[in-house]
Amino acid sequence: MGTAANNPSIAAFIQDMMNNGGPDPDNYDHILELIDDLPTSEIQSLRNLMGPILNPGTIIGFSFCKPFGYNGDFFIIEKIYQHYISSDPKYRKWDQFFHHLPAAIAVVNRKKLAIEMLKELNAKSSDQTVNVLILGSGPVTEVNEYLKETPENKLAFDLIDLDQRAIDYAKQKNKAYTHCLNFAQKNVIRFTPEKQYELIWSAGLFDYFKDKHFVFLLKRYYDFIRTGGKMVIGNFNTENPSRKIMEVLGDWFLYHRSEEELQHFAEQAGISKSATNVISEPLGINLFLQVRKESQ
Ligand SMILES: C[S@@+](CC[C@H](N)C(=O)[O-])C[C@H]1O[C@@H](n2cnc3c(N)ncnc32)[C@H](O)[C@@H]1O
């Protein structure tokens, strides 16, 4: 295949799509193939061709421009959860295309997985309060939906996020549930919990950390799992068919990790192999390392 800059037919295809207000569903496979085959040297010329939509008006452009200074802020994650589609005809088709990407579907799936896990924990718990810690809590949409669907809630949440804007947004969104939510604006690397938790959950955070920080955090937070409880840490799988488009158009780089790598981190953190396993959402794009704290 030729490249965006030196292949007039590819440039014409992109230009046609731009003139047409974005991709139609029958263009989706072609644009993905084109980006998957794009050599690094051609990334800039493709971005130039797509300049008019690489701004915060589209979800992918929001990622590219990083108005909050980093990728994966609460606002973009919330746009994915809410299936946000711009009302501006210049951008609408690009948002529709974005939600069709397997990685976006996997993010929605991981919210469902979190809700199921919270419901399960609530159902098996006795009447006393059960403590849950969420690291990198973002919009707190999974907890919000869980609470809406669970009138008999026994869980109390400590929610840690570095970004005060995320906390302000999540507080506003969850103002009906302040009695069971405790927010703290902290860096998870420096935060020291004051209690033990039945569940420690984190999604969309550890994939930004280098291996040594991943292991450090596993070790640190393991100490705060109550005996009989567990910690569940999400990470994008190396098998992510949307990786290249996230990197090329979203300038969104993550540490992708395999099941084996996640298990290896647990071993490096000194956690027995028998206490860990890896699960995933239905697409297998978001993996979750589960660590159980067993009685010694
Ligand atoms: C991709 S979002 C995921 C939000 C949420 N966990 C979810 O799955 O919906 C990542 C969140 O982690 C927060 N974050 C990033 N680095 C952090 C750190 N070092 N300590 C605490 N929060 C952090 C960001 O502000 C953001 O809200």
Side-chain angles (χ1 to χ4, degrees), residues 180-193:
C180 59
L181 304 182
N182 173 37
F183 289 91
Q185 191 258 317
K186 301 270 182 215
N187 186 338
V188 298
I189 303 217
R190 281 185 270 285
F191 173 65
T192 306

Side-chain angles (χ1 to χ4, degrees), residues 257-273:
R257 290 167 173 133
S258 66
E259 195 172 326
E260 293 70 34
E261 282 171 289
L262 294 176
Q263 292 266 20
H264 183 55
F265 290 158
E267 275 176 56
Q268 286 179 294
I271 300 164
S272 129
K273 205 163 184 213

Side-chain angles (χ1 to χ4, degrees), residues 72 110 136 202-208 234-235 286:
R110 83 180 182 212
S202 188
L205 178 63
F206 279 56
D207 5 34
Y208 293 88
N235 204 104
N286 274 197

Side-chain angles (χ1 to χ4, degrees), residues 70-74 77 81 110 134-142 160-163 166 186-189 201-205 208-209 252:
Y70 60 96
N71 289 117
D73 56 78
F74 71 97
I77 297 299
Y81 288 153
R110 83 180 182 212
I134 302 206
L135 301 173
S137 50
V140 190
T141 301
E142 73 291 71
I160 310 300
D161 203 288
L162 185 58
D163 189 341
K186 301 270 182 215
N187 186 338
V188 298
I189 303 217
W201 166 272
S202 188
L205 178 63
Y208 293 88
F209 294 138
W252 196 340

